[in-house]
Amino acid sequence: MPTSTRVRFFLISILLLMFIICLRLFYLQVIKHDFFREKSQRQLKRIIKLYPNRGSIYDRNHEPLALTEVSYQVYAIPKEIENKWVFSKLVAPHLGMTRKQLSDKLYQSKAEFLWIKRHCSEAAKEALSALDIKGIGFIKSEKRVYPNSNLASPILGFVGVDNQGLGGLEYKYDHFLKGSEGKIILDGDPRGNQFVSSRKIKIPPNDGGDIITTLDSRIQFFAQYYLEEALKKHEAESGQVIVMECRTGDILAMASAPSFNANSWKESNPHDRKIKPIIDVFEPGSIFKMITLAGVLEEDIVSPLTMLHVPETYDLYNKTISEAHEREEGESDTKSVSEIMEQSLNVGTTLLAIKLGKERFYKYMSEFGFGKRTGIESPGESRGLLRPVSKWSGVDIGMISFGQGIAVTGIQMTAAVNAIANNGRYVKPRLVSIFSKKNSNIRKGIPVEQKTQVISEKTAKDIRKIMHNVVEKGTGKIVKIKGYTVAGKTGTAQKVKTNGLG
């Protein structure tokens, strides 16, 4: 190849290479300019989140149930620490750490910015500041505090280290309570090392809103106290109590035991953190007889004084239904409808359910709210278990009539009984009454929701009278209170054994 040709080839190659380089530079510097500028800014900046003040939770009388107190996040700048061992020896005791724990953290981390403690008290912060040592800093924060320890703790829930709701109302309304985060943007050097001293931008956080519940702290306290006493007395594993205002559906108290201290929730049993009256299901047993009674009275099949022949046992398909207790010698088999309830007779209730029929019985159970969620303001609510009539066996109408073969939640059962107390009208249970934004006049109320007239006022009145008789002269005499009119219904259910049999 002649020399001139080789020179031309070389020059063309150089020009082509320069052209490719120019194209590449144009692509990187013009077309991808915004992308790389944003990327470089991310590499040269550190964003530290500033958490807003979390909203508080109050009872109906504006007594605090969940508050926040001043806390400090403690950080270190390792390259500014002259002697990490000495630093650790001085700092660790004020943060509930050992010298080794802190020094290991400092020596093992290669970060230019290192969190030491996410929450420390103001007293600890002042003590550390008094040491006047380099390489330590503080960011004002907050810590969630439950002033009444375990009062309504499953309902309130709890929060994590970053004040995020992890249970109960704290979780359900986390977005409203926590507000929106702010941030501090710190400059850095070309290698990405951050300089805490060169604060660039500070975007302040927006504080969260407050929640006013329907709970009454005093009623809640006594509900929990006496529930705990009852568990000890009867050596029971667990229990629950719900107090509901008839006309509004307001939950004045909702207690379950065992419970837990929301201030130290990590040390508790996960099962105890559940809102058991809303999540757990159980066979209601004889308290469900009121629903059967409501159906036959509303359909005018019987009256409270209607007399029925009620044998001690009754064969229904392949099942013999019997009473929980033997009758006294010579006791008559003829019982009024009221007496069937007062004495809590399984056979009598079965006969009433058969008169009502499967379809109508199912209709009343559904209208009383069984087999569906109440819609109460709480996460994880269960539907319970109410099988459609098409899946019933021949004996189910009898078993379900006295509360077996159906599973309910405590809140479902309470709302159903409340409909009887509220002259037959079902009211949606309510845990929250008001949402209030901080530093503003914006308040959103949760309206009382009267749903359906399940039974007539007359039927409801008749049932209440029968329930009063249960307490005055029936199986519920133990709960009579002198000077008060009390209506109720006792109930027991068979507990499933480990082999799956009742």
Side-chain angles (χ1 to χ4, degrees):
M1 181 183 294
T3 301
S4 59
T5 303
R6 288 199 300 270
V7 172
R8 281 197 300 272
F9 179 77
F10 177 75
L11 290 173
I12 291 171
S13 298
I14 293 296
L15 290 172
L16 183 61
L17 181 60
M18 290 177 65
F19 179 72
I20 293 172
I21 291 172
C22 289
L23 282 178
R24 181 62 177 168
L25 289 172
F26 178 80
Y27 173 77
L28 294 175
Q29 294 183 353
V30 179
I31 296 177
K32 299 292 288 183
H33 172 266
D34 292 339
F35 170 79
F36 285 107
R37 182 178 63 178
E38 183 180 344
K39 187 174 182 180
S40 67
Q41 287 176 344
R42 286 200 305 267
Q43 291 174 342
L44 296 177
K45 295 182 185 297
R46 179 177 182 85
I47 297 176
I48 299 175
K49 293 180 180 179
L50 295 177
Y51 297 101
N53 291 317
R54 191 172 181 86
S56 301
I57 303 177
Y58 299 93
D59 80 346
R60 68 193 295 110
N61 301 309
H62 295 259
E63 295 291 332
L65 299 173
L67 299 171
T68 55
E69 65 178 18
V70 174
S71 177
Y72 291 89
Q73 301 178 73
V74 187
Y75 64 84
I77 309 300
K79 69 179 181 180
E80 294 183 4
I81 300 173
E82 295 176 359
N83 187 315
K84 294 179 180 177
W85 193 94
V86 173
F87 178 93
S88 301
K89 185 179 180 180
L90 292 171
V91 171
H94 297 285
L95 298 177
M97 303 171 71
T98 65
R99 193 276 310 161
K100 187 177 186 305
Q101 286 175 327
L102 182 51
S103 61
D104 285 350
K105 195 170 188 178
L106 292 171
Y107 281 115
Q108 292 171 8
S109 176
K110 296 180 181 180
E112 299 291 328
F113 178 98
L114 181 66
W115 288 116
I116 300 178
K117 188 85 170 180
R118 295 307 296 270
H119 289 291
C120 84
S121 67
E122 191 160 8
K125 183 256 183 185
E126 289 177 358
L128 289 169
S129 298
L131 295 174
D132 194 24
I133 54 177
K134 292 182 179 180
I136 191 169
F138 309 91
I139 295 177
K140 192 174 182 180
S141 181
E142 63 173 22
K143 183 180 179 180
R144 199 59 158 175
V145 175
Y146 301 92
N148 302 301
S149 300
N150 70 338
L151 190 77
S153 50
I155 300 171
L156 301 176
F158 46 92
V159 299
V161 68
D162 289 328
N163 274 335
Q164 74 277 27
L166 298 178
L169 294 176
E170 297 275 28
Y171 172 79
K172 174 75 173 179
Y173 296 109
D174 185 54
H175 180 73
F176 178 79
L177 287 165
K178 73 180 181 182
S180 58
E181 295 175 347
K183 56 188 175 182
I184 297 173
I185 303 175
L186 306 176
D187 288 332
D189 63 19
R191 290 177 297 177
N193 296 323
Q194 291 81 26
F195 299 130
V196 175
S197 60
S198 57
R199 183 177 295 181
K200 186 73 174 179
I201 301 173
K202 181 178 180 180
I203 302 173
N206 291 317
D207 291 343
D210 296 333
I211 290 177
I212 300 171
T213 69
T214 62
L215 298 173
D216 186 303
S217 294
R218 287 159 292 188
I219 298 175
Q220 180 73 30
F221 171 82
F222 285 112
Q224 290 186 205
Y225 176 81
Y226 286 109
L227 177 59
E228 291 281 359
E229 291 293 303
L231 259 62
K232 292 175 185 176
K233 179 180 179 180
H234 300 286
E235 299 181 349
E237 292 182 3
S238 63
Q240 52 184 254
V241 173
I242 302 174
V243 181
M244 183 173 176
E245 193 175 68
C246 296
R247 290 177 292 104
T248 63
D250 285 357
I251 302 299
L252 304 180
M254 185 183 289
S256 60
S259 189
F260 70 102
N261 185 339
N263 292 307
S264 53
W265 63 269
K266 291 182 181 179
E267 302 168 14
S268 63
N269 185 329
H271 183 71
D272 296 339
R273 300 176 207 154
K274 293 196 302 179
I275 311 176
K276 296 169 191 173
I278 291 174
I279 297 174
D280 286 357
V281 298
F282 59 92
E283 284 192 339
S286 291
I287 54 176
F288 202 76
K289 289 173 181 175
M290 290 182 290
I291 307 304
T292 309
L293 175 65
V296 292
L297 292 180
E298 183 67 14
E299 293 293 327
D300 204 24
I301 295 170
V302 294
S303 74
L305 299 179
T306 299
M307 306 300 291
L308 298 174
H309 174 68
V310 184
E312 286 195 63
T313 61
Y314 183 78
D315 291 329
L316 185 61
Y317 289 84
N318 62 342
K319 178 77 174 180
T320 298
I321 295 173
S322 57
E323 307 297 354
H325 304 286
E326 292 184 3
R327 295 181 188 172
E328 295 180 5
E329 187 175 348
E331 185 178 342
S332 173
D333 286 348
T334 302
K335 305 287 183 181
S336 70
V337 170
S338 182
E339 288 173 329
I340 289 172
M341 293 297 140
E342 292 164 25
Q343 298 170 25
S344 199
L345 302 179
N346 294 342
V347 172
T349 308
T350 297
L351 296 174
L352 292 176
I354 291 171
K355 289 178 179 292
L356 182 60
K358 294 180 180 179
E359 298 293 343
R360 286 189 293 184
F361 188 22
Y362 182 87
K363 178 180 80 77
Y364 280 102
M365 286 189 287
S366 181
E367 289 181 354
F368 270 108
F370 298 106
K372 61 188 76 171
R373 297 184 181 93
T374 65
I376 193 169
E377 306 89 352
S378 180
E381 184 181 6
S382 172
R383 294 178 181 272
L385 176 63
L386 175 61
R387 290 171 288 123
V389 174
S390 60
K391 294 186 178 180
W392 287 15
S393 67
V395 75
D396 274 340
I397 190 169
M399 302 299 290
I400 295 174
S401 74
F402 51 84
Q404 296 183 17
I406 182 174
V408 306
T409 63
I411 194 64
Q412 281 179 332
M413 198 70 232
T414 302
V417 175
N418 185 76
I420 296 169
N422 192 39
N423 291 322
R425 182 171 286 277
Y426 184 94
V427 187
K428 177 184 172 182
R430 188 174 70 153
L431 257 177
V432 176
S433 60
I434 295 173
F435 293 100
S436 178
K437 276 289 186 182
K438 285 185 180 291
N439 303 320
S440 74
N441 295 320
I442 300 175
R443 290 166 65 91
K444 179 184 177 183
I446 303 297
V448 173
E449 193 173 333
Q450 299 264 0
K451 286 195 170 181
T452 55
Q453 189 76 34
V454 183
I455 52 177
S456 67
E457 287 190 26
K458 179 182 181 304
T459 299
K461 183 178 180 180
D462 288 342
I463 298 172
R464 291 198 301 271
K465 185 176 180 181
I466 291 173
M467 290 171 66
H468 177 60
N469 290 339
V470 169
V471 175
E472 286 296 310
K473 55 185 178 181
T475 56
K477 286 186 287 186
I478 193 173
V479 298
K480 286 176 64 174
I481 302 175
K482 187 176 180 180
Y484 288 86
T485 300
V486 180
K489 178 69 189 79
T490 55
T492 55
Q494 290 177 305
K495 190 174 181 178
V496 177
K497 297 177 182 177
T498 54
N499 61 4
L501 301 175

